[in-house]
């Protein structure tokens, strides 16, 4: 675990889809500063990000809640050792909320490690998908918070898997800026007739944000015959615009870069062309 991963988790995956990611990271930093001044739990000099056991995080949460009560009663407490302008974090429950989120993040990191083992030990992409779906427990549909959280975890792992498969580069442009890269589903996630292939590594292409959106909306497709890009008639309506040749004309007929493993499934590409693509 680390601060970047914690912020990413809270931005993309926490049940709150949290706008509080930076505040939670700040709260953990404050706790790392003040916790050495208590003698209840021996942290062995570790940062909270290095705590391997979720039960210890629970113990720390109880300790922090007790110390916040002391603070509110104007009694000596561990936050006396922090900077005065940081006392608002524990008083407004940011520290306890951050610890709860840290526990969830630790659990997700363990889930990712186990998922990596599944991918490493299996070679059949459909077996990988079925095992990952079971692992992240996303076989059931639902709009409740728990179901949506499981789906976000599965989708995030799919992105991780597809970006790794394509060497962290857009298959069209070679862009390697992680924040701009997406794992484009060939058969959309929402298609319930193909749920078993939602986490199939052959059901994804790494594309930068612009082309991911164009692919998702059916403005472009990839030929199942030769992996070349085709533009839709709907996109051609903008041919007279200055940006067209620069961003779209340049990719027409271009072959996507193919990964060594898990090339896009031709049947999936045919499905995209027939059911998502707006047509030539």
């Amino acid at each position: 675990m680390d601060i970047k991963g914690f912020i990413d988790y809270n931005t993309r995956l926490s049940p709150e889809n949290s706008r509080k990611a930076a505040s939670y990271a700040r709260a953990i930093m404050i706790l790392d500063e003040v916790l050495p001044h208590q003698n209840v739990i021996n942290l062995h000099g570790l940062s909270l990000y290095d705590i391997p056991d979720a039960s210890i995080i629970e113990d720390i949460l109880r300790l922090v809640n007790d110390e916040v009560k002391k603070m509110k009663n104007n009694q000596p407490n561990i936050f006396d050792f922090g900077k005065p302008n940081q006392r608002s974090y524990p008083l407004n429950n940011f520290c306890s909320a951050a610890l709860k989120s840290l526990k969830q993040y630790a659990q997700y990191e363990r889930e990712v490690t186990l998922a990596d083992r599944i991918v490493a030990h299996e070679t059949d992409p459909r077996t990988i998908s079925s095992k990952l779906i079971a692992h992240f427990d996303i076989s059931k549909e639902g709009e409740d918070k728990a179901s949506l959280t499981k789906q976000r975890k599965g989708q995030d792992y799919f992105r991780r898997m597809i970006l790794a498969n394509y060497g962290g580069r857009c298959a069209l442009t070679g862009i390697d800026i992680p924040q701009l890269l997406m794992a484009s589903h060939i058969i959309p996630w929402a298609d319930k007739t193909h749920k078993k292939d939602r986490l199939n590594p052959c059901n994804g292409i790494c594309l930068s944000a612009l082309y991911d959106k164009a692919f998702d909306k059916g403005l472009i497709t990839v030929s199942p015959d030769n992996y070349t890009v085709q533009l839709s008639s709907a996109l051609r309506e903008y041919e007279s615009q200055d940006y067209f040749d620069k961003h779209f004309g340049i990719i027409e007929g271009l072959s996507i870069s193919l990964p060594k493993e898990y090339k896009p499934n031709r049947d999936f590409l045919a499905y995209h062309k027939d059911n998502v693509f707006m047509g030539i």
Side-chain angles (χ1 to χ4, degrees), residues 132-141 147 149-155 189 195 198-199:
L132 289 177
I133 287 170
H135 175 65
F136 288 107
D137 191 21
I138 56 175
S139 57
K140 294 181 181 179
E141 300 292 332
S147 296
T149 298
K150 291 174 183 178
Q151 290 177 38
R152 279 196 293 267
K153 288 180 178 182
Q155 290 165 346
W189 179 281
K195 290 193 296 183
R198 281 176 168 174
L199 299 184

Side-chain angles (χ1 to χ4, degrees), residues 176-218:
D176 62 354
I177 304 171
Q179 296 91 330
L180 297 179
L181 297 178
M182 314 291 287
S184 302
H185 271 87
I186 300 171
I187 297 179
W189 179 281
D191 188 319
K192 295 181 181 179
T193 62
H194 291 82
K195 290 193 296 183
K196 291 182 179 179
D197 287 305
R198 281 176 168 174
L199 299 184
N200 185 327
C202 294
N203 190 31
I205 303 173
C206 181
L207 295 172
S208 56
L210 173 63
Y211 299 118
D212 165 73
K213 182 62 74 173
F215 188 76
D216 180 62
K217 297 299 181 181

Side-chain angles (χ1 to χ4, degrees), residues 25 39 44 98 112 124 126 191 193 195 228 234 262:
N39 57 11
H44 304 284
V112 166
D124 178 66
R126 284 197 157 141
D191 188 319
T193 62
K195 290 193 296 183
T228 58
Y262 307 125

Side-chain angles (χ1 to χ4, degrees), residues 88-115:
S88 63
Y89 277 80
L91 284 172
N92 290 317
N93 296 319
F94 274 106
C95 290
S96 56
L99 284 168
K100 292 175 184 177
S101 181
L102 185 68
K103 183 181 176 183
Q104 293 167 349
Y105 169 49
Q107 175 62 34
Y108 177 62
E109 286 289 286
R110 287 192 291 274
E111 290 175 357
V112 166
T113 299
L114 292 173

Side-chain angles (χ1 to χ4, degrees), residues 40-278:
V40 178
I41 303 171
N42 187 352
L43 300 177
H44 304 284
L46 296 176
S47 164
L48 288 173
Y49 294 115
D50 299 323
I51 300 296
D53 189 344
S55 65
I56 297 178
I57 297 177
E58 282 288 342
D59 292 340
I60 295 169
L61 177 58
R62 285 190 288 271
L63 170 66
V64 166
N65 288 338
D66 288 343
E67 295 298 313
V68 169
K69 289 178 184 177
K70 292 178 185 177
M71 179 191 293
K72 290 178 178 179
N73 291 326
N74 294 316
Q75 297 174 328
N77 61 86
I78 58 172
F79 294 102
D80 291 338
F81 297 94
K83 298 182 178 70
N85 62 351
Q86 295 177 349
R87 294 172 65 85
S88 63
Y89 277 80
L91 284 172
N92 290 317
N93 296 319
F94 274 106
C95 290
S96 56
L99 284 168
K100 292 175 184 177
S101 181
L102 185 68
K103 183 181 176 183
Q104 293 167 349
Y105 169 49
Q107 175 62 34
Y108 177 62
E109 286 289 286
R110 287 192 291 274
E111 290 175 357
V112 166
T113 299
L114 292 173
D116 285 343
R117 292 176 186 168
I118 291 171
V119 175
H121 292 158
E122 297 292 341
T123 56
D124 178 66
R126 284 197 157 141
T127 300
I128 289 173
S129 183
S130 63
K131 288 194 173 184
L132 289 177
I133 287 170
H135 175 65
F136 288 107
D137 191 21
I138 56 175
S139 57
K140 294 181 181 179
E141 300 292 332
E143 295 298 318
D144 57 287
K145 186 164 72 172
S147 296
L148 292 174
T149 298
K150 291 174 183 178
Q151 290 177 38
R152 279 196 293 267
K153 288 180 178 182
Q155 290 165 346
D156 190 70
Y157 188 81
F158 181 78
R159 177 182 182 274
R160 171 193 176 101
M161 183 170 54
I162 296 302
L163 264 61
N165 192 37
Y166 282 81
R169 292 181 179 275
C170 170
L172 279 175
T173 65
I175 286 174
D176 62 354
I177 304 171
Q179 296 91 330
L180 297 179
L181 297 178
M182 314 291 287
S184 302
H185 271 87
I186 300 171
I187 297 179
W189 179 281
D191 188 319
K192 295 181 181 179
T193 62
H194 291 82
K195 290 193 296 183
K196 291 182 179 179
D197 287 305
R198 281 176 168 174
L199 299 184
N200 185 327
C202 294
N203 190 31
I205 303 173
C206 181
L207 295 172
S208 56
L210 173 63
Y211 299 118
D212 165 73
K213 182 62 74 173
F215 188 76
D216 180 62
K217 297 299 181 181
L219 295 173
I220 65 173
T221 195
V222 175
S223 169
D225 299 321
N226 56 11
Y227 297 113
T228 58
V229 176
Q230 297 177 339
L231 307 185
S232 72
S233 55
L235 190 56
R236 289 188 183 281
E237 292 180 9
Y238 299 90
E239 248 177 324
S240 62
Q241 299 296 327
D242 293 338
Y243 58 74
F244 185 88
D245 285 340
K246 181 178 180 181
H247 296 292
F248 298 108
I250 196 172
I251 66 169
E252 184 175 17
L254 184 69
S255 296
I256 65 170
S257 297
L258 295 174
K260 293 181 179 179
E261 290 187 282
Y262 307 125
K263 295 179 176 62
N265 183 292
R266 292 182 188 273
D267 290 338
F268 296 168
L269 291 173
Y271 179 94
H272 184 274
K273 186 173 182 179
D274 293 341
N275 295 277
V276 180
F277 186 53
M278 292 184 175

